[in-house]
């Protein structure tokens, strides 16, 4: 058996100025953030958020604050490759850009929104 | 990138009424261009300062513009054209809301100030259709005083 290679040189550096973990206020909660919120003032009872990031529903354009571990059930559209708000109205895949075109009467297929 | 516009709006007495019967402000688009709502700062000015939640809601609207006070749409670039978007404040008659179209919905402490700003591709788009717009509404079960906001949009 040969010597075990020394892999410590590939370990993340932790000294100041090296590649250390970002401080909490700079850590991201979502990969493709669509908005940010900032709160200034005393918190409501039970409130833990002072600032955060929002995601946008790819079908309805609703924004929500990302709170990891909140238990809120959202969806994900594999066609649009983005999150949905979780409301049943946004379950069918109609991208929000398509909905805008339909409202403007520019959809060549004359699509009708599902009721 | 289009021209950017902004305005400030207030409602002197917010209510607990059903969403859509009054409001802080409504921004209406037109057939000239799509509007992209990308920034809003909201807060409360009333006294005494107490810790009550105020629900701020931005929801899509259709039909004719709601009645309300005139407000000036200011171009952030003085050389910009006259905006397509038209806004009113202190709504006394609510607009027609699009069901299940709440785009922003945040509770805010009466003693706090809250800001939402969109990423470059995250703004709320108003279609280029006459009378389509967004309602900015504040409501509270315990606070019936002034609510104010400032918002920006792009055309």
């Amino acid at each position: 058996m040969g010597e075990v290679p020394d892999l410590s040189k590939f370990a993340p550096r932790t000294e100041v100025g090296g590649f250390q973990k970002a401080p909490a206020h700079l850590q991201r909660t979502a990969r493709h953030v669509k908005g940010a919120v900032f709160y200034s003032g005393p918190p409501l009872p039970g409130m833990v958020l002072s600032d955060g990031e929002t995601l946008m529903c790819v079908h309805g354009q609703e924004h929500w604050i990302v709170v990891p571990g909140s238990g809120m059930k959202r969806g994900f559209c594999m066609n649009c490759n983005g999150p949905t708000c979780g409301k049943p109205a946004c379950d069918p895949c109609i991208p929000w850009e398509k909905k805008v075109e339909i409202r403007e009467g520019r959809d060549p297929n004359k699509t009708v929104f599902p009721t | 990138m289009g021209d950017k516009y902004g305005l400030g709006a207030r409602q002197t007495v917010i209510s607990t009424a059903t969403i859509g019967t009054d409001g802080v402000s409504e921004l209406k688009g037109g057939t000239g261009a799509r509007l992209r709502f990308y920034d809003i700062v909201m807060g409360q000015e009333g006294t005494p300062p107490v810790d009550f939640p105020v629900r701020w809601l931005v929801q899509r609207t259709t039909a004719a513009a709601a009645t309300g006070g005139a407000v000036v749409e200011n171009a952030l670039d003085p050389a910009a054209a006259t905006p397509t978007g038209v806004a009113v404040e202190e709504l006394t008659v609510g607009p027609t809301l699009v069901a299940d179209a709440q785009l922003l919905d945040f509770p805010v402490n009466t003693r706090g100030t809250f800001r939402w700003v969109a990423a470059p591709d995250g703004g709320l788009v108003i279609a280029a259709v006459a009378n389509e717009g967004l309602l900015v509404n504040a409501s509270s079960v315990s606070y019936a005083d002034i609510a104010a906001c400032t918002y920006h949009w792009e055309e």
Side-chain angles (χ1 to χ4, degrees), chain B residues 1 4 10 14-15 18-19 27 30 40 62 64 72 80 83-85 99 102 106 111 115 131-132 143 145 149 154:
Chain B
M1 185 173 295
K4 294 180 171 64
R10 328 171 64 230
I14 68 173
S15 69
T18 303
I19 302 297
L27 175 65
I40 182 168
T62 59
V72 177
T84 300
Q102 298 87 2
F106 303 121
R111 294 197 290 157
R115 181 189 181 199
N131 297 320
E132 290 223 352
Y143 175 81
D145 212 323
C149 69
E154 182 180 20

Side-chain angles (χ1 to χ4, degrees), chain A residues 33-44 54 56 60-63 65 87 89 96-97 100-101 103-104 106, chain B residues 34 53 60 62 100 102-104 106 109 111-119 121-125 127-129 132:
Chain A
V33 174
K34 296 297 183 183
V37 294
F38 309 94
Y39 176 75
S40 174
L44 290 167
T54 64
M56 183 176 75
Q61 282 207 292
E62 177 188 352
H63 281 251
I65 300 173
K87 291 185 295 190
W96 68 263
E97 298 93 333
V100 172
E101 286 186 358
R103 299 185 84 88
E104 294 173 345
R106 299 194 295 116
Chain B
R34 291 179 181 176
R60 290 199 188 278
T62 59
D100 284 331
Q102 298 87 2
L103 305 184
L104 300 176
F106 303 121
N109 191 343
R111 294 197 290 157
T113 301
F114 191 86
R115 181 189 181 199
W116 170 82
V117 59
D121 59 346
L124 311 178
V125 176
V129 177
E132 290 223 352

